């Protein structure tokens, strides 16, 4: 455990890392003190956890997501549940990074237990000659503790996206996968030539669970589908208010979950939390469960100023 803190402290002494950070309370620059905390010029201090992450919240935030949920999510994600989506993202990053030098500075805003960022980091390091400086931010301490335990090669922090501990224009790529956005903050954090990559669910996302939850003859099912289509249009519209849309791809595929993965899948899916216990039990006993993954990946860049 201590090794992780030591490793983080060493990384934080390099300019690549220290230039990335700023105090979330006063925006001052920060320095490492005694290898145990980051301190700004106004003496705001943030501890390096022994697990190897930095805690930036002044008070703990209770989230509805618990450790078991993130452990379940990791199991499902490790099985390749999001593989096509993550491959598409790393190909896009590689494509726009060509001929550029320096480490790719990549932030996962709302990274949860870090599965997606870790996969992207591995893929990018494998496919390109450039180093990857990966940072993951989440408001849940349980999620970040798990992330840093599983991947000691990224910068993990517990922080509020509205008061992120990063300097202006410090990231070349910001990914935001099925997690709330803060577009104003993304604009501040994004480098001039950087991209924001947002992933959001389409109308068919896990539709099998939805039809189990609502009886398919139930009218609330079709109302829900209509609402989802409407939500997607609103998501794209809101995104394009802040960023110039450079590309958008809908990834639609079926994924077969075998028995050992059904329980963690149910545990990680908010939709199932509203199900009756008897129905959940019934699903968990199935030998397999095939679900539809329907996700849209939208890529945006800075809007060019119009005079
Ligand atoms: Zn400060």
């Amino acid at each position: 455990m201590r090794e992780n803190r030591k490793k983080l402290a060493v990384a934080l002494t390099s300019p690549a890392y220290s230039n990335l950070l700023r105090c979330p309370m006063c925006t001052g620059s920060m320095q490492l003190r005694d290898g145990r905390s980051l301190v700004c010029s106004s003496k705001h201090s943030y501890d390096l956890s022994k697990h190897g992450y930095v805690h930036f919240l002044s008070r703990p935030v209770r989230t509805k997501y618990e450790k078991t949920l993130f452990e379940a999510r990791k199991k499902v994600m490790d099985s390749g549940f999001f593989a096509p989506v993550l491959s598409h993202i790393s190909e896009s990053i590689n494509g726009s990074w060509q001929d550029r030098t320096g480490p790719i500075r990549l932030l996962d805003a709302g990274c949860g237990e870090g599965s997606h960022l870790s996969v992207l980091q591995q893929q990018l390091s494998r496919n390109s000659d450039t180093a990857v400086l990966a940072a993951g931010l989440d408001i849940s301490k349980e999620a970040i503790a798990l992330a840093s335990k599983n991947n000691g090669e990224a910068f993990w922090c517990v922080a509020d996206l509205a008061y992120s501990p990063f300097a202006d224009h410090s990231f070349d790529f910001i990914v935001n996968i099925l997690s709330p956005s803060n577009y104003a903050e993304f604009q501040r954090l994004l480098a001039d030539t950087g991209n924001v990559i947002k992933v959001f669910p389409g109308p068919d996302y896990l539709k099998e669970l939805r039809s189990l939850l609502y009886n398919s003859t139930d009218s609330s099912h079709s109302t829900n589908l209509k609402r989802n289509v409407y939500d997607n249009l609103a998501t794209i519209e809101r995104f394009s208010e802040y960023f110039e849309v450079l590309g958008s791809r809908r990834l639609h595929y079926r994924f077969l979950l075998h028995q050992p993965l059904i329980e963690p899948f149910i545990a990680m899916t908010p939709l199932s939390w509203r199900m009756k216990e008897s129905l959940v039990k019934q699903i968990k006993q199935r030998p397999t469960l095939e679900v539809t993954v329907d996700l849209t990946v939208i890529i945006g860049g800075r809007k060019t100023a119009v005079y």
Side-chain angles (χ1 to χ4, degrees):
M1 288 297 181
R2 279 212 188 94
E3 282 306 303
N4 283 1
R5 176 158 57 199
K6 220 167 160 183
K7 202 169 170 181
L8 175 63
V10 170
L12 285 170
T13 55
S14 86
Y17 265 103
S18 49
N19 292 343
L20 209 67
L21 297 165
R22 77 172 203 187
C23 175
M25 283 179 90
C26 71
T27 76
S29 62
M30 290 193 287
Q31 281 195 321
L32 189 69
R33 188 175 60 189
D34 305 331
R36 302 181 75 87
S37 53
L38 280 167
V39 184
C40 80
S41 41
S42 307
K43 304 235 175 348
H44 299 125
S45 170
Y46 308 96
D47 290 341
L48 272 60
S49 140
K50 61 178 189 291
H51 299 278
Y53 63 86
V54 188
H55 200 286
F56 285 106
L57 292 177
S58 45
R59 65 185 71 143
V61 173
R62 272 185 177 274
T63 62
K64 56 182 180 225
Y65 305 124
E66 292 172 3
K67 195 177 165 210
T68 46
L69 176 140
F70 295 109
E71 283 168 347
R73 215 173 80 143
K74 186 179 182 309
K75 266 186 205 150
V76 175
M77 293 307 164
D78 282 352
S79 74
F81 192 62
F82 268 32
V85 181
L86 297 171
S87 297
H88 173 63
I89 294 175
S90 56
E91 278 163 25
S92 304
I93 292 178
N94 268 329
S96 61
W97 192 256
Q98 279 170 3
D99 306 327
R100 289 165 69 183
T101 52
I104 297 176
R105 297 165 301 166
L106 168 68
L107 170 68
D108 186 349
C111 64
E113 81 297 339
S115 306
H116 304 324
L117 183 65
S118 297
V119 170
L120 291 174
Q121 189 183 13
Q122 275 166 22
Q123 288 180 346
L124 292 168
S125 318
R126 195 168 53 221
N127 296 339
S128 79
D129 300 331
T130 20
V132 181
L133 211 163
L137 173 152
D138 203 279
I139 203 157
S140 161
K141 189 180 151 187
E142 283 76 18
I144 292 296
L146 191 57
S148 61
K149 201 173 98 184
N150 290 319
N151 178 0
E153 304 300 324
F155 176 80
W156 303 103
C157 64
V158 183
D160 184 346
L161 190 51
Y163 303 96
S164 84
F166 301 111
D168 295 354
H169 312 297
S170 46
F171 290 102
D172 303 299
F173 299 94
I174 299 173
V175 295
N176 178 227
I177 303 172
L178 300 188
S179 178
S181 305
N182 184 326
Y183 292 134
E185 186 68 357
F186 293 172
Q187 276 182 331
R188 183 183 76 75
L189 297 178
L190 197 63
D192 284 342
T193 53
N195 292 153
V196 170
I197 303 171
K198 182 172 176 64
V199 179
F200 59 94
D204 291 343
Y205 187 62
L206 311 185
K207 64 177 179 186
E208 296 78 6
L209 271 195
R210 224 170 309 144
S211 55
L212 282 169
L213 178 59
Y214 312 102
N215 182 321
S216 54
T217 55
D218 184 347
S219 65
S220 67
H221 183 47
S222 67
T223 314
N224 253 297
L225 282 179
K226 275 186 203 138
R227 204 180 59 207
N228 274 317
V229 173
Y230 176 77
D231 284 351
N232 283 2
L233 291 173
T235 301
I236 296 172
E237 205 174 293
R238 217 174 109 65
F239 184 90
S240 61
E241 281 170 23
Y242 289 85
F243 302 102
E244 190 184 335
V245 177
L246 304 172
S248 161
R249 168 88 62 94
R250 186 177 178 192
L251 292 138
H252 194 284
Y253 55 91
R254 315 242 313 143
F255 193 89
L256 186 69
L257 295 147
H258 290 282
Q259 226 287 319
L261 280 182
I262 295 177
E263 189 163 350
F265 172 74
I266 293 294
M268 70 165 229
T269 312
L271 202 62
S272 65
W273 304 345
R274 305 207 302 267
M275 283 180 183
K276 281 193 189 124
E277 215 166 292
S278 56
L279 178 60
V280 171
K281 203 173 162 191
Q282 209 182 315
I283 300 170
K284 282 180 185 169
Q285 281 167 353
R286 295 166 65 130
T288 58
L289 176 67
E290 195 170 26
V291 291
T292 302
V293 181
D294 175 12
L295 296 166
T296 296
V297 181
I298 187 167
I299 302 177
R302 275 196 183 281
K303 282 195 171 188
T304 41
V306 180
Y307 296 100

